[in-house]
Amino acid sequence: MNALAARFNALFGPDMAGPLAALAVVLIVFGFASPHFLTGATFGSVAFQLPELGVLTLAMLMPILTGGLNLAITFTANIAGLTLAWTLQANGGIDAGPGAFLLGSALALAVGAASGLVMGLVIAFSRAHPILVSLSMMIFLRGLGEFLTRGGDISGFPTFIAPIGHGSILGVPVPLLILVACVIASHVLLSRSKLGFSAYMIGSNIESARYSGINTRKVLVLVYMLSGVMAAVAGIIMLARFNSVRVGHGEAYLLITVLACFLGGINPFGGFGRVLPVFVALIVLQLLSSGLNLLGANQHLTTAVWGILLIVVMVLRWFSAKFIKIVK
């Protein structure tokens, strides 16, 4: 048994056991509960619904690894989407060309980076708690978006944008390909780059990282900027998927991004965790949502189940830590 566990850890890592076990439980339970669950339609639906949530989770991941949090990711995505929408509207709306889309996308990414830059600077130089800083940014972006749009939405975009949200390449959804590209980029960044190593060091002990010669302020600013850029990517995907933008799109995703990070083995205090287990955890949560929908549950019950699951994950991790100490 120990040899099997050692081999599993060598192949996948010890933090992959929880997400894979949860995936197996969800597939088995809903597979028996509904004859329509283990079908191509279900997995196709998951493949199209997962990307915006997945990219937002990646935006949440890096700040958590540094011991922080970015509560403004959904409204950063909305403001970035609004930036792209306004650019398209200013250049012909439904008749806007690819050039306007590229310009709007670049401006959207810049808005996301600017949001993260402000948070990173405040957190790095004032040492204010990331929860308070990101909460303040969330309130600001929400109020700004509501003021600029007067609570309405913007719609009517060129048809060539639609494949980004609904198209497929060789049967694989385009938004899923974007998510996979973001997952690979995040994995490489965290596991192979100096910035990733520094982020883990800061999450483990920021004072030790500072004494080790790491420019902790620079790293924190870059981490929150990248978080903002990733949120902006999610905003672009949501615009293409819904063919409209308004403040509040994806607001319920905030809880799920945190849940996916913790279910994927990310230490809530920072310093430990990987991208791939989080990706598996995202698939688990989306399959759970689809399974509940097939059983006739409404979205409110699904949200309640996600909240209970977050508590269960925390309790199980506490018991696991206690068990490991007893065994040692």
Side-chain angles (χ1 to χ4, degrees):
M1 189 69 178
N2 290 336
L4 184 62
R7 188 173 181 180
F8 178 89
N9 291 341
L11 286 174
F12 302 105
D15 51 353
M16 190 66 88
L20 288 178
L23 177 61
V25 169
V26 168
L27 290 174
I28 293 171
V29 170
F30 286 106
F32 280 108
S34 172
H36 304 292
F37 181 71
L38 297 177
T39 62
T42 298
F43 292 106
S45 175
V46 168
F48 275 106
Q49 294 175 10
L50 182 65
E52 63 258 29
L53 171 61
V55 178
L56 283 172
T57 301
L58 295 176
M60 179 66 78
L61 174 61
M62 285 192 69
I64 291 180
L65 288 176
T66 63
L69 204 65
N70 184 357
L71 298 176
I73 54 171
T74 55
F75 289 102
T76 299
N78 289 330
I79 288 294
L82 287 170
T83 301
L84 173 56
W86 287 324
T87 304
L88 292 171
Q89 290 290 325
N91 289 274
I94 196 171
D95 297 318
F101 174 72
L102 293 176
L103 174 62
S105 298
L107 291 174
L109 295 175
V111 166
S115 170
L117 174 64
V118 172
M119 287 187 290
L121 288 172
V122 173
I123 292 168
F125 286 90
S126 73
R127 300 192 181 182
H129 200 286
I131 290 179
L132 297 177
V133 176
S134 60
L135 179 62
S136 300
M137 179 59 71
M138 180 186 77
I139 295 171
F140 167 72
L141 292 176
R142 179 172 187 170
L144 178 65
E146 293 284 4
F147 169 74
L148 293 174
T149 62
R150 291 172 173 78
D153 59 7
I154 300 176
S155 59
F157 306 119
T159 55
F160 66 82
I161 295 177
I164 297 176
H166 302 280
S168 298
I169 298 177
L170 299 177
V172 181
V174 172
L176 182 62
L177 293 174
I178 296 173
L179 171 60
V180 170
C182 291
V183 167
I184 293 172
S186 298
H187 173 72
V188 171
L189 177 69
L190 290 173
S191 62
R192 307 280 178 171
S193 72
K194 182 179 178 181
L195 177 62
F197 173 78
S198 300
Y200 281 113
M201 287 287 291
I202 289 174
S204 297
N205 191 314
I206 190 170
E207 294 300 327
S208 297
R210 186 178 292 114
Y211 288 131
S212 299
I214 295 175
N215 188 338
T216 56
R217 288 176 172 173
K218 179 181 178 181
V219 172
L220 286 172
V221 171
L222 288 174
V223 162
Y224 279 88
M225 284 184 66
L226 288 173
S227 175
V229 169
M230 197 67 76
V233 173
I236 295 172
I237 295 175
M238 286 192 288
L239 178 146
R241 177 171 166 75
F242 301 124
N243 196 36
S244 66
V245 186
R246 67 174 175 83
V247 178
H249 266 168
E251 189 173 359
Y253 286 155
L254 183 62
L255 165 68
I256 314 169
T257 61
V258 176
L259 174 56
C261 286
F262 294 163
L263 183 60
I266 303 299
N267 189 329
F269 301 105
F272 179 80
R274 295 188 302 139
V275 174
L276 296 182
V278 172
F279 181 60
V280 176
L282 281 166
I283 297 173
V284 171
L285 293 175
Q286 197 61 62
L287 285 171
L288 177 64
S289 176
S290 296
L292 289 172
N293 287 337
L294 285 174
L295 296 179
N298 61 34
Q299 183 60 41
H300 299 295
L301 178 59
T302 302
T303 303
V305 171
W306 279 331
I308 291 296
L309 184 58
L310 179 57
I311 296 173
V312 171
V313 168
M314 291 297 185
V315 173
L316 289 177
R317 290 181 69 169
W318 180 80
F319 275 115
S320 176
K322 289 289 186 181
F323 178 75
I324 290 174
K325 287 183 178 179
I326 293 172
V327 171
K328 289 182 178 180

